[in-house]
Amino acid sequence: MFDVSICIERMIDMNTYVTGAVIKQLREKKNLTQSELGEMIGVSDKTVSKWETGRGLPDISLVETIAKSLGISVSELFAGEYITNNNRSGNMMKGKFYVCPVCGNVIQSLGESVISCCGISLLPVDADVADVEHQVKIEKVEDDYFITVDHEMTKQHYISFIAFASSDKTEFKKLYPESNAQTRLEMRGHGILYWYCNRHGLMKKRI
């Protein structure tokens, strides 16, 4: 679970903090007055004005509330960036996968995102063409694909998930050590098959 206090502590360690210019920019994007923002946070408009003019900084205890009031994450507030998804078409084959190295949580995003898990900021995982040790076998069974990866499934080395992304949908199967590296996925025309090795990363194949 994402711990806001850990995020804040790490940001301070990196010698960064919330600036008044960022607060002003984000407030104006949401068409809020200083009084309206102050009311949402629980401070006066004069206090917000002091922040925005560089005559003071918000207390650390207010950072999470400020971020929520401005409709962004704490990470975005510290970074001074407002992340938007410009990929309005939502093609699932252009999505990105984020994998937490601590708990194994997997998140797919259709656009640029700020994603954290277990207190760690995650980066999108690049998919490579599979090498000889990570080949996949694809069979058609009725209206499905039966996917098998010839790979060991020990607690130290295993396939974490298999997913198939078409233009409008991603079907996902989470796998676990000591199970079989195989699954049955719905056949929906052309798309990209993904599978993830906990040691060697994300693989892909167009089908």
Side-chain angles (χ1 to χ4, degrees):
M1 181 177 179
F2 177 55
D3 190 327
V4 174
S5 63
I6 293 176
C7 174
I8 293 174
E9 290 173 2
R10 289 183 177 179
M11 292 297 178
I12 294 174
D13 289 341
M14 294 167 60
N15 296 318
T16 64
Y17 199 70
V18 182
T19 67
V22 169
I23 293 175
K24 181 178 181 180
Q25 178 187 22
L26 295 172
R27 173 180 64 78
E28 291 177 344
K29 280 187 177 182
K30 289 188 72 67
N31 295 317
L32 294 173
T33 66
Q34 291 179 339
S35 295
E36 289 170 336
L37 178 59
E39 185 176 350
M40 295 169 70
I41 298 170
V43 301
S44 68
D45 58 341
K46 291 182 179 180
T47 298
V48 175
S49 177
K50 286 182 179 180
W51 296 342
E52 295 185 352
T53 55
R55 293 180 291 123
L57 292 172
D59 186 81
I60 192 68
S61 64
L62 296 174
V63 169
E64 185 177 4
T65 303
I66 293 171
K68 288 181 179 179
S69 299
L70 295 172
I72 63 173
S73 68
V74 171
S75 298
E76 289 173 304
L77 183 60
F78 274 109
E81 298 175 346
Y82 185 71
I83 305 299
T84 58
N85 181 8
N86 294 319
N87 185 14
R88 299 299 181 184
S89 62
N91 189 329
M92 301 298 287
M93 289 190 289
K94 296 181 180 179
K96 299 179 183 297
F97 287 96
Y98 296 77
V99 181
C100 178
V102 178
C103 70
N105 188 24
V106 183
I107 302 165
Q108 186 185 26
S109 171
L110 294 185
E112 186 177 0
S113 304
V114 176
I115 295 178
S116 299
C117 188
C118 296
I120 301 171
S121 294
L122 304 181
L123 296 175
V125 182
D126 290 330
D128 296 318
V129 176
D131 56 26
V132 294
E133 297 180 356
H134 295 86
Q135 292 299 305
V136 67
K137 181 180 180 182
I138 304 171
E139 299 176 274
K140 292 184 179 180
V141 179
E142 298 176 344
D143 293 330
D144 294 338
Y145 290 121
F146 186 72
I147 313 296
T148 304
V149 184
D150 186 14
H151 193 282
E152 63 179 288
M153 292 292 285
T154 65
K155 293 181 178 180
Q156 293 74 36
H157 193 193
Y158 60 94
I159 299 299
S160 175
F161 70 85
I162 299 174
F164 177 69
S166 60
S167 61
D168 62 350
K169 182 179 179 180
T170 296
E171 189 172 1
F172 182 92
K173 175 67 175 181
K174 188 75 173 72
L175 303 176
Y176 298 93
E178 300 178 356
S179 63
N180 294 320
Q182 60 186 37
T183 189
R184 188 164 169 166
L185 302 175
E186 181 185 353
M187 188 184 302
R188 296 185 311 279
H190 297 292
I192 302 177
L193 182 69
Y194 295 96
W195 59 106
Y196 184 85
C197 171
N198 72 315
R199 288 189 181 180
H200 300 95
L202 190 64
M203 318 286 172
K204 68 178 180 180
K205 180 182 179 65
R206 284 190 172 272
I207 57 177

